[in-house]
Amino acid sequence: MSLVFEFGIILAVCLAGELLHALLPLPVPASIYGLCLLLLLLLTGVVKEKHIARAAGFLLSIMSLLFVPAAAGILSVWDEAKRLLLPLAVAIVPVTIGVMAATGLSVQVVQRRGRKGK
């Protein structure tokens, strides 16, 4: 399958996410709608992994480059953002630790259930 067609599929899913965001009165970003839609399409087999594999691989390989505009935006407001570092750290650190702990416990529970089933 051509790379242009693969990108077309991904762009069509992104467009559908944008349309869902515009139509539904929920506080959900369009990118989340698009990701959920793509997951649904992959799980149902409407879109096969091979239909988007090369384009998705390319996008993953340049992902760090895609964050450059966001980093530049933060640098442009750095003087104002400096005063928010402590409150952000106080909020982010405990939440990150909590998410890591919950993920670890969830994995352990799933692994235990898998062993009991065998």
Side-chain angles (χ1 to χ4, degrees), residues 1-21:
M1 195 165 288
S2 80
L3 199 55
V4 173
F5 187 72
E6 291 183 24
F7 273 111
I9 292 171
I10 293 172
L11 288 174
V13 171
C14 290
L15 177 62
E18 292 288 341
L19 291 173
L20 285 172
H21 177 68

Side-chain angles (χ1 to χ4, degrees), residues 15-68:
L15 177 62
E18 292 288 341
L19 291 173
L20 285 172
H21 177 68
L23 295 174
L24 298 176
L26 300 173
V28 178
S31 58
I32 301 301
Y33 283 125
L35 286 172
C36 291
L37 183 60
L38 183 59
L39 176 64
L40 181 70
L41 292 172
L42 287 167
L43 289 175
T44 59
V46 174
V47 173
K48 305 260 189 277
E49 182 184 349
K50 67 181 180 181
H51 294 155
I52 59 169
R54 286 189 309 159
F58 171 74
L59 290 172
L60 286 173
S61 70
I62 65 162
M63 187 183 297
S64 59
L65 182 64
L66 299 176
F67 285 99
V68 170

Side-chain angles (χ1 to χ4, degrees), residues 76-97:
S76 69
V77 294
W78 180 247
D79 290 333
E80 298 161 17
K82 272 194 280 189
R83 64 184 174 83
L84 296 174
L85 287 179
L86 182 61
L88 283 173
V90 168
I92 291 172
V93 170
V95 170
T96 301
I97 292 170

